[in-house]
Amino acid sequence: MNKTYTNSKDIERRGLMYVLSSPSGAGKTSIATKLIDQDKNIDMSISMTTRKARPGEIDGKDYIFVNEDQFNKAIENNELLEWAEVFGNFYGTPRKAVEQKLENGQDVLFDIDWQGTQQLHEKVGKDLVRLFILPPSVKVLEDRLKRRGQDEDHIVAARMKEAANQISHWAEYDYVIINENLDESLGEVQNILNAERLKRERRVGLSAFVRNMTTKME
Ligand code: 5GP
């Protein structure tokens, strides 16, 4: 049965999976939080991790905090869409929550690293839009990591080193944003999302809409 669309905004489209990757301290979390607040059609995928919660982090909201046994069980039971080891801890994306969101017509935002992005790309192909966020300079990255003050010094140093590794994967992404100014970057992230939503192949209801239009013109 073809649907008749009275409003072009109602045209059915496939949900998209929007990945934001960056080295720690590039401002990804601030952008992701603001995007989710502003746009009700996209929801965050909440990762599972074996890392300890930082002060202020809430279980079930920032991450699902688990121990290694629980994490391994999730892998064994094929409950994770992707997973990777980052800084000696394990991180993974619970499959069910993502599938439910997509089925409900919501887009899903992922804050995952390059390893997870590669795995998702292999699994879902075109439904994935990959965005990499760069800091404007090494100095800014270092200052942001130090100011954050949530991790011990040796962890900050390790994260700086790891940043170079993360950044080396920038060319595997569809879009790259240099985060000099949070509001400007947020605008760019939103513009890309809006443009991706309008792509012809995602709008599965488009042919019915056009058919309905052209039959009236005959
Ligand atoms: P943090 O410990 O600072 O919250 O995150 C460390 C890194 O792990 C970040 O680069 C973040 O994007 C990545 N990460 C968080 N969740 C996941 C996940 O579910 N899968 C993968 N592959 N990486 C993740």
Side-chain angles (χ1 to χ4, degrees), residues 18 186-196:
Y18 203 28
L186 178 66
E188 288 169 351
V189 170
Q190 185 74 68
N191 287 344
I192 294 164
L193 177 59
N194 288 336
E196 287 286 344

Side-chain angles (χ1 to χ4, degrees), residues 7-131:
N7 181 337
S8 65
K9 292 259 180 300
D10 295 336
I11 293 176
E12 241 179 295
R13 67 174 177 84
R14 274 218 308 276
L16 64 85
M17 297 162 80
Y18 203 28
V19 166
L20 297 187
S21 293
S22 75
S24 302
K28 175 183 49 184
T29 308
S30 314
I31 292 174
T33 310
K34 286 207 170 196
L35 182 67
I36 296 292
D37 281 352
Q38 280 184 8
D39 189 328
K40 297 297 160 220
N41 290 322
I42 188 161
D43 201 6
M44 195 89 202
S45 161
I46 299 166
S47 295
M48 184 180 278
T49 184
T50 59
R51 157 165 91 58
K52 294 230 161 15
R54 296 190 186 119
E57 281 184 331
I58 298 167
D59 188 22
K61 180 171 175 285
D62 297 289
Y63 279 106
I64 299 159
F65 294 100
V66 296
N67 61 36
E68 282 203 21
D69 278 351
Q70 290 168 307
F71 196 90
N72 286 333
K73 278 228 170 71
I75 296 174
E76 273 168 32
N77 295 336
N78 199 24
E79 287 167 15
L80 301 180
L81 261 181
E82 61 74 34
W83 64 272
E85 186 177 351
V86 188
F87 313 123
N89 293 306
F90 294 97
Y91 297 82
T93 301
R95 176 194 303 277
K96 214 169 173 187
V98 172
E99 287 173 351
Q100 268 168 3
K101 282 173 182 142
L102 290 172
E103 270 166 30
N104 291 338
Q106 273 202 307
D107 298 320
V108 184
L109 184 67
F110 298 83
D111 172 345
I112 61 175
D113 80 333
W114 63 270
Q115 304 174 82
T117 307
Q118 282 185 355
Q119 293 171 48
L120 283 190
H121 182 63
E122 277 163 26
K123 282 194 180 146
V124 304
K126 273 191 181 170
D127 288 338
L128 192 72
V129 178
R130 299 161 296 180
L131 198 146

Side-chain angles (χ1 to χ4, degrees), residues 25 137-147 156 160:
S137 69
V138 176
K139 172 93 177 62
V140 170
L141 181 68
E142 205 168 15
D143 288 350
R144 283 185 190 156
L145 278 181
K146 281 184 183 152
R147 225 180 309 137
V156 172
M160 273 307 283

